[in-house]
Structure formats: C-alpha cells, structure tokens
Amino acid sequence: MSKYHIITYGCQMNEHDSENIAGMLEALGYIYEEDPYRADLVIMNTCSVRENADKRFFGVLGQFKKLKKNNPDFMLCVCGCMPQQPRIVEEINKRFSWVDIVFGTQNIAKLPELLELRKKTGKKQRAIVDNNPDITEDEMHPVRMHHHKALVNITFGCNNFCTYCIVPYTRGREKSRMMSEIVCEIERLVADGVREVMLLGQNVDSYKDVQGNSFADLIKAVNEIKGLDRIRFMTSHPKDISDEMIECFGSCEKLCKNIHLPVQSGSDQVLKRMNRHYDSETYLAIVDKLRSVCPDITISTDVIVGFPGESEEDFEKTLEIARKVRYDSAFTFIYSPREGTPAAKFEDQIPDDICHERFNRLVELMDGISLEKNIKYKDEIVDVLTDGVSKTSDNTYSGRTDGFKLVNFTSDKSEDEIIGQIVRVKIDETKTFSLEGHEV
Ligand code: SAH
Ligand code: SF4
Ligand code: F3S
C-alpha cells in the first residue's frame, strides 16, 4: 500500500485544502505516513503571503531531491498558493524539474486524475487554473485534523486587492457557497462528532449567496444546528462588517465571544494606500459596537509594520490604536513586498532596520497588553474545549476557551475521555500567550 505525507504552510484555508487532499488520497487507498522521508508521495501545500514563506518552501523542496534520486517511484507534488504565480512554476520547472505534479488552489479535485496521468504516461503534470468559477466543495470528504472540530469554507477567493496582498491573485475572485449547502455540511459534521466549526473566508463579511443570504443570516442558521456547541469564523474585514452581524454576538448563543479583526495600521494615510477602505475612527467605532453588544468579547488583530511610506508618525498611530483597543492578541508582520502587487512598486519602501525597530516596539506593546488582559483570568473558572495533550508536558492537556484563550491544564482523565470534551478549568497562572490551570 502506498503511503502519503502532506506538508502544509499558510492559513486555515490551506489547512482545509490539505484535509480535502488527504480525503482524496485515502479514497484512492493511500495511507498516512508521519515521516515525510518514508512516504511514497509527498504533497507540499504552499503559501506565498510573505517572502520568508517562499524561501522556506524552496529550502524544504531541495531536500527531497535526494529521495527522488534514491527511489524513482517516490513522487513529489507541489500545490497551494505558490504555483498560482507563473514565475514560481517557471522556477520549479527550471530548478526542480524532477517535481512530479504541480497544481493550484482552484483545481484541487483534479489530483486523482493528475496522479493517474503521471503514473500512466510517465510525464510530469502541471495543471494551474486561474479563477475557476466551479470550485466545488460538496464532493469533498476531508480527513479532519481533529475529530471534534472542523474547518468549513464559506467563501473562496478575495476581491479586495489590499495593495500589499498576494491572496486575490492566488485564490481568484470571491465566490460564496450556498447557505443551504453549508448548513447541510455542518449538520453532517455534527452527526460525525463535531462540536465546533470555524467558518472560513478571506473576508467573511462580504459573504452573499445567490439567494441573497448574508453572513449574519448564515450565522443565525448555523446557530440553529442541534448538537453544535461553538461557532467561530475567520477573517472579518472592518469595511464590510455589518451591525446585524455584530448583533449576532448578543443573540446567537453558540457564536464564540471572540473576533479576529485585522487593523493592519492605525494611520489613515497608510490604510488608504493599503486600499483597506476604512479609517481608524470607523475601526474604533466597530470595536465600541462589538463591546457594547458583548462586553467580554476578546479581540485579536493583524498588523503590518513598515508598509511603504510609513513615517514614524504613522507608526505611532498604530501604537496608539493598539493602546486604545487593547487587543487580547496580535499577529504582527513586517511588510514583505510581493511581486505583482501594487505596493511592491511603491517607491518609498522602508529600510529593514527601521522595520525591525518598529516591529520590536509594537511586539513589546502588544505582548504587554496581552499579559495584562490575561491577568484578569487568574482564579476564574473557564470552559475549555480540549484539543489535545499539551506540547509542554504529558499529563497536561490544552484547549481553547470560548474567547479563544489557549489554556494548558492538568486533569486525571485519560486522553480518550477528555479530548473533544468541554471541561471546567480553574486558572492558577496567567502568561502572555496562555492560561495555566487544573480541571475542577
Ligand atoms: N484575508 C485576511 C487574511 C489575509 S493574510 C484579511 O484580510 O485579514 C493574513 C495577514 O497577513 C494579513 O492580515 C496581513 O496582516 C498579513 N499580510 C498579507 N500580505 C502581507 C505582506 N505582503 N507583508 C506582510 N504581511 C502581509
Ligand atoms: Fe488579502 Fe486584503 Fe483579501 Fe485579506 S482582504 S486576503 S488582506 S486582499
Ligand atoms: Fe498563504 Fe494562500 Fe493562505 S498565500 S495565507 S496559503 S491564501
């Protein structure tokens, strides 16, 4: 029997694509192999969002060359966001021509056919499609990473063209799945043991299906599904978030009290050049609304530092908005020019040393706020959906609160008993990125 291994980079969308790929391979009789170097087929599902993602990929790819030499039957397949860029496919063909199969984000379902063609004809397969209007999710049978929680695509692609971002080029135009199909899928998942779903879209707030259902309609419909405990979603865009959606935090009891609301910058000038279509005032008004509907909502964000033209004053506005919002957590990135995006051609790129210096200041501020926010959980009892054994120690489990706080806790229960269960945990210690406690 043939063994497969998948290496996944990037966002939850790639993670979910990998789950779908695993589903297709297992239907073909492949079995999962944990060690990539012992597999007969390795799939590299790539990300291109920042330059270091590119570099890492080519580094890892190079390491498989030897394997291919020693075992002519070994197959390597590259997919995901990188091959959606012609220059990357050219580079693969030039420097890594031994790669057996390359396909993109828009034709994942083609993998079985490509594998067969590769085996039958002996020819390398290259199949990249842009803007496939018929991406179908419904025939997919993913092998989920977790038994108790699932990733569910609600939209594909992105139409926003933030000037720094490669995603609209790698994932094509935005398409919303039918609400009825999404609800059916989640009902099936719940019947299969799923307690938490994460609804996925590059901009969930612009969800609109052909029957006119909005994202708020979708949340309300999913909230009705019996047996489901938690609903999460990712990612919100401040320009499209609606009052009706915000109200859901008050009316839908399954909707987790947590939102990831990327701000990217606190400077209106920078936001404009990023093509984000909101300003800092609008952003802060959204945060106020969220907190008035749901006072204990946790808020996380993404920030880019060193965007072209960012002055010290612009950067200080980013620090200022962070202090005003007081984020529970933040992903901070140094701007990385992406070939083919408008911002890569802007002339006022910021030198590396200034980017790093600003990055460090921002991280220090954000981490300090996260720590302060976490302190208030000391001695509290929280509900934790247990995901698995903690990375740090064997007799400790880890999971997430409703507000997405990572909790490591001790319990007398066995792994089989506790994983996928919601347990009550008393918090004994609070850290910047986690809460530590014991089951009560
Ligand atoms: N659709 C989501 C996430 C897109 S990618 C959204 O709109 O928020 C995740 C994050 O990567 C972005 O929020 C942004 O902060 C960061 N990012 C995207 N392109 C980048 C680039 N060229 N350089 C640095 N960070 C980038
Ligand atoms: Fe990229 Fe902007 Fe689309 Fe997010 S909304 S994926 S940052 S273009
Ligand atoms: Fe990366 Fe593509 Fe996701 S570029 S962040 S894997 S959409």
Side-chain angles (χ1 to χ4, degrees), residues 7 115 132 139 238 256:
I7 303 172
L115 273 170
N132 180 359
E139 294 104 58
C256 289

Side-chain angles (χ1 to χ4, degrees), residues 362-412:
L362 181 64
V363 168
E364 195 183 327
L365 173 70
M366 291 292 198
D367 286 357
I369 296 172
S370 299
L371 183 64
E372 274 172 38
K373 288 223 118 180
N374 281 351
I375 285 169
K376 75 166 203 277
Y377 292 89
K378 174 109 168 72
D379 298 327
E380 294 275 304
I381 291 174
V382 292
D383 284 340
V384 178
L385 176 57
T386 315
D387 289 329
V389 177
S390 156
K391 284 189 188 122
T392 44
S393 145
D394 275 353
N395 56 11
T396 314
Y397 297 98
S398 75
R400 298 273 176 178
T401 65
D402 182 290
F404 209 57
K405 297 279 177 189
L406 175 66
V407 182
N408 300 309
F409 62 97
T410 51
S411 163
D412 297 335

Side-chain angles (χ1 to χ4, degrees), residues 135-372:
I135 295 186
T136 44
E137 183 78 359
D138 304 312
E139 294 104 58
M140 291 291 180
H141 303 283
V143 175
R144 290 197 305 277
M145 246 171 329
H146 294 279
H147 181 69
H148 61 282
K149 55 183 196 178
L151 302 166
V152 177
N153 283 323
I154 66 164
T155 66
F156 302 104
C158 181
N159 288 349
N160 295 301
F161 291 94
C162 302
T163 53
Y164 50 81
C165 185
I166 195 82
V167 173
Y169 308 89
T170 65
R171 295 268 165 180
R173 294 296 61 74
E174 186 182 279
K175 297 166 268 293
S176 295
R177 288 178 71 197
M178 287 278 285
M179 182 167 100
S180 52
E181 281 169 13
I182 298 168
V183 169
C184 272
E185 180 180 339
I186 299 175
E187 281 168 348
R188 281 198 305 274
L189 288 166
V190 170
D192 192 42
V194 164
R195 303 188 69 173
E196 175 182 304
V197 287
M198 167 78 92
L199 309 176
L200 294 179
Q202 294 297 346
N203 172 358
V204 288
D205 300 294
S206 62
Y207 173 87
K208 193 154 211 83
D209 77 358
V210 288
Q211 293 182 319
N213 292 301
S214 67
F215 184 50
D217 296 328
L218 176 66
I219 289 187
K220 288 175 199 165
V222 176
N223 192 59
E224 294 301 313
I225 297 175
K226 290 201 175 65
L228 183 69
D229 291 299
R230 288 179 170 187
I231 306 168
R232 298 189 190 281
F233 58 83
M234 182 148 215
T235 303
S236 298
H237 197 309
K239 82 177 165 71
D240 291 313
I241 193 166
S242 68
D243 288 350
E244 203 189 348
M245 193 278 122
I246 295 174
E247 299 293 335
C248 289
F249 282 107
S251 60
C252 298
E253 74 286 354
K254 292 175 185 167
L255 186 60
C256 289
K257 295 180 175 54
N258 165 248
I259 189 165
H260 184 64
L261 193 65
V263 65
Q264 311 297 2
S265 168
S267 155
D268 294 343
Q269 212 167 293
V270 173
L271 286 171
K272 197 158 199 168
R273 289 188 88 203
M274 287 178 162
N275 195 33
R276 290 288 289 179
H277 294 280
Y278 56 85
D279 58 18
S280 52
E281 199 184 314
T282 322
Y283 185 93
L284 287 168
I286 295 166
V287 170
D288 283 348
K289 266 188 221 157
L290 284 162
R291 288 193 169 136
S292 70
V293 172
C294 182
D296 31 283
I297 192 163
T298 55
I299 305 178
S300 59
T301 200
D302 291 345
V303 186
I304 297 176
V305 298
F307 184 77
E310 183 189 70
S311 64
E312 173 61 25
E313 202 188 339
D314 291 320
F315 174 66
E316 277 166 18
K317 291 196 172 133
T318 297
L319 296 175
E320 191 183 310
I321 205 162
R323 281 192 208 100
K324 282 188 180 153
V325 176
R326 295 180 53 75
Y327 291 103
D328 289 89
S329 65
F331 296 95
T332 42
F333 306 106
I334 290 177
Y335 168 71
S336 168
R338 306 282 61 213
E339 204 178 305
T341 64
K345 291 189 217 90
F346 291 173
E347 273 167 12
D348 39 6
Q349 304 284 328
I350 307 294
D352 281 356
D353 54 337
I354 297 184
C355 287
H356 281 100
E357 186 264 337
R358 288 182 187 161
F359 177 81
N360 292 339
R361 273 154 74 198
L362 181 64
V363 168
E364 195 183 327
L365 173 70
M366 291 292 198
D367 286 357
I369 296 172
S370 299
L371 183 64
E372 274 172 38

Side-chain angles (χ1 to χ4, degrees), residues 8-15 17 45-50 53 80-82 85 105 165-168 170-171 202 338:
T8 308
Y9 301 96
C11 62
Q12 278 95 343
M13 257 162 221
N14 256 18
E15 275 174 29
D17 287 346
N45 193 3
T46 61
C47 169
S48 211
V49 78
R50 282 169 291 275
C81 284
M82 297 216 25
Q85 303 154 86
T105 55
C165 185
I166 195 82
V167 173
T170 65
R171 295 268 165 180
Q202 294 297 346
R338 306 282 61 213

